[in-house]
Amino acid sequence: MERLKYIDCARALAILLVMLEHAIEVTEYFGWPLVITSKCFSTFHMPVFFTAAGFMLALGGREKFSPNNYLSFEKKKFMRLIIPLFVITAITFTGELAIGESSLSEAGDVFYRMIFYPLSSPAGHGWFLITLMNIFLIFPFIIRLCDKSKLTLIVVFAICMMPASLPKHEYACFLELERTRWYLMFVLFGYYVFARLEINRRGNMLAALSFTAIAAAGCMQVSEWVSAGQSWVTFEVLRLMKLLFSFTGMLGMFYLASCIAGRGGMIKAFFSKLGRFSYDVYLYHLIAGMVCGVILFKVGIPEEYSWLMLIIIYAASGIGSFIFGQILRKSRLLSKIMLGS
């Protein structure tokens, strides 16, 4: 059970970074937080969720991957991921209608993009749900192949690490297939490798912070080199370096989470609770942040206080989505429809 607390703490750290990145997008505050989220931590906060997903699949045993259980496994994941995606898209689209940014005639296109090009839909953060659903659809088959031969596992990892097959083309975003290929690597890592690492749950907090900070700095430096323009060979070398820093930063966050989980008190309780309901927060934090942003815009906060808007929206998106999730969980029907559980 302690292991689950440590996974929850890692999810909490990741969702705090996700909320910061989205709060910056809402406020359009392009100060130092933007640099940190876009060039440092953005490369490894989402891998934390995918690695944790792979680890939890490993804990659940392999019976669910058998041919007899395939349909029930996929049905459960569909209810967990896709039904809430329809809900958050409908809510976001309704909000856009209310403020005049969309028209009812666009409804068909909105729900088409929700599935096939989720990043361009009103609920753009739904890309995570589509990507995870794609992975779950193929994961039982991949596991059966990889269990027969470790060479197959190595080949799958190599395919996931290959350069984007459809760079700078709209079809690269179709059904989030490129992201599916990339994040499948982290799910497989969580499934096969992560459980064997035995990260010390009572490690040194300063060492964990330093480890993560070094990875973040490395990611930022590589991003700077990539943006400067390089040859194809150099670009691929930099891409592999960034992948290395991504794994390092992700493991640093898990290491930091293990330090938090190994201690008592309010900090552990906060991160454990937030991590446990991080899915609720992920689903509705952007909606809560946008509602708060509209209110602040109506109030008319001066542009020089955009940093204050960032703080308010950041807090409101987290607290609002958490409370909303807790309210939904009081109704079994609403919880199933809007949270998938």
Side-chain angles (χ1 to χ4, degrees):
M1 195 66 184
E2 186 68 24
R3 183 79 177 192
L4 296 178
K5 291 285 186 184
Y6 134 66
I7 294 295
D8 283 341
C9 290
R11 285 173 171 157
L13 290 169
I15 197 64
L16 287 171
L17 290 171
V18 170
M19 288 191 300
L20 176 59
E21 188 171 5
H22 290 161
I24 290 169
E25 292 176 4
V26 172
T27 58
E28 297 183 351
Y29 176 67
F30 302 117
W32 61 265
L34 175 65
V35 176
I36 290 178
T37 55
S38 65
K39 294 185 178 179
C40 299
F41 296 104
S42 63
T43 55
F44 50 78
H45 61 54
M46 292 310 295
V48 167
F49 291 115
F50 287 97
T51 301
F55 175 66
M56 298 307 292
L57 286 173
L59 286 184
R62 305 196 177 193
E63 296 80 12
K64 57 182 171 293
F65 299 136
S66 67
N68 293 334
N69 295 328
Y70 179 78
L71 289 180
S72 60
F73 173 74
E74 299 303 340
K75 179 183 176 182
K76 182 179 178 181
K77 296 305 179 185
F78 182 87
M79 297 296 293
R80 175 69 167 163
L81 299 170
I82 306 303
I83 299 302
L85 176 58
F86 273 94
V87 173
I88 61 174
T89 301
I91 293 174
T92 308
F93 180 56
T94 302
E96 290 186 352
L97 289 175
I99 60 177
E101 287 192 3
S102 296
S103 62
L104 201 56
S105 61
E106 298 176 12
D109 179 61
V110 164
F111 287 99
Y112 170 81
R113 285 186 286 122
M114 177 196 76
I115 295 295
F116 296 104
Y117 298 96
L119 201 60
S120 65
S121 73
H125 62 306
W127 71 264
F128 170 69
L129 308 179
I130 293 293
T131 302
L132 206 51
M133 188 69 229
N134 289 342
I135 291 172
F136 287 141
L137 284 171
I138 62 175
F139 201 72
F141 302 104
I142 291 175
I143 290 301
R144 290 168 65 187
L145 289 173
C146 293
D147 284 348
K148 293 179 180 178
S149 170
K150 296 303 178 187
L151 178 61
T152 306
L153 179 61
I154 295 171
V155 170
V156 172
F157 264 103
I159 292 172
C160 292
M161 292 171 62
M162 286 171 60
S165 59
L166 296 167
K168 297 182 180 179
H169 194 287
E170 65 172 3
Y171 288 109
C173 302
F174 180 71
L175 278 174
E176 294 300 328
L177 294 180
E178 285 296 344
R179 276 199 174 96
T180 298
R181 185 169 66 101
W182 175 257
Y183 286 112
L184 173 61
M185 175 171 49
F186 292 96
V187 177
L188 288 170
F189 178 81
Y191 189 88
Y192 282 107
V193 181
F194 184 74
R196 301 179 183 180
L197 294 180
E198 296 183 358
I199 295 176
N200 188 349
R201 300 189 186 104
R202 296 184 180 275
N204 183 280
M205 184 76 75
L206 181 60
L209 287 169
S210 302
F211 194 70
T212 307
I214 290 171
C219 287
M220 184 171 70
Q221 184 59 62
V222 171
S223 296
E224 290 290 339
W225 287 335
V226 169
S227 62
Q230 306 286 343
S231 67
W232 184 87
V233 174
T234 305
F235 178 80
E236 292 310 318
V237 171
L238 292 174
R239 185 175 180 275
L240 290 174
M241 288 176 61
K242 192 170 184 178
L243 176 62
L244 176 62
F245 281 123
S246 296
F247 268 101
T248 304
M250 178 193 67
L251 292 175
M253 289 184 68
F254 278 112
Y255 182 33
L256 180 58
S258 72
C259 296
I260 296 171
R263 290 162 172 76
M266 293 182 62
I267 295 178
K268 176 184 176 180
F270 168 78
F271 278 95
S272 297
K273 188 85 169 180
L274 178 60
R276 182 183 174 190
F277 297 106
S278 59
Y279 184 65
D280 302 9
V281 175
Y282 185 87
L283 286 176
Y284 293 101
H285 77 279
L286 201 54
I287 296 172
M290 288 179 174
V291 170
C292 181
V294 170
I295 294 172
L296 292 176
F297 179 77
K298 296 292 184 183
V299 171
I301 295 180
E303 187 176 340
E304 58 265 26
Y305 291 103
S306 57
W307 59 269
L308 179 60
M309 288 184 64
L310 174 64
I311 294 172
I312 295 172
I313 290 176
Y314 183 53
S317 62
I319 296 170
S321 56
F322 180 84
I323 293 175
F324 186 60
Q326 296 302 299
I327 293 171
L328 292 176
R329 288 186 178 276
K330 293 184 181 297
S331 166
R332 188 173 181 180
L333 178 61
L334 288 177
S335 180
K336 275 192 170 296
I337 295 173
M338 301 182 74
L339 299 174
S341 61

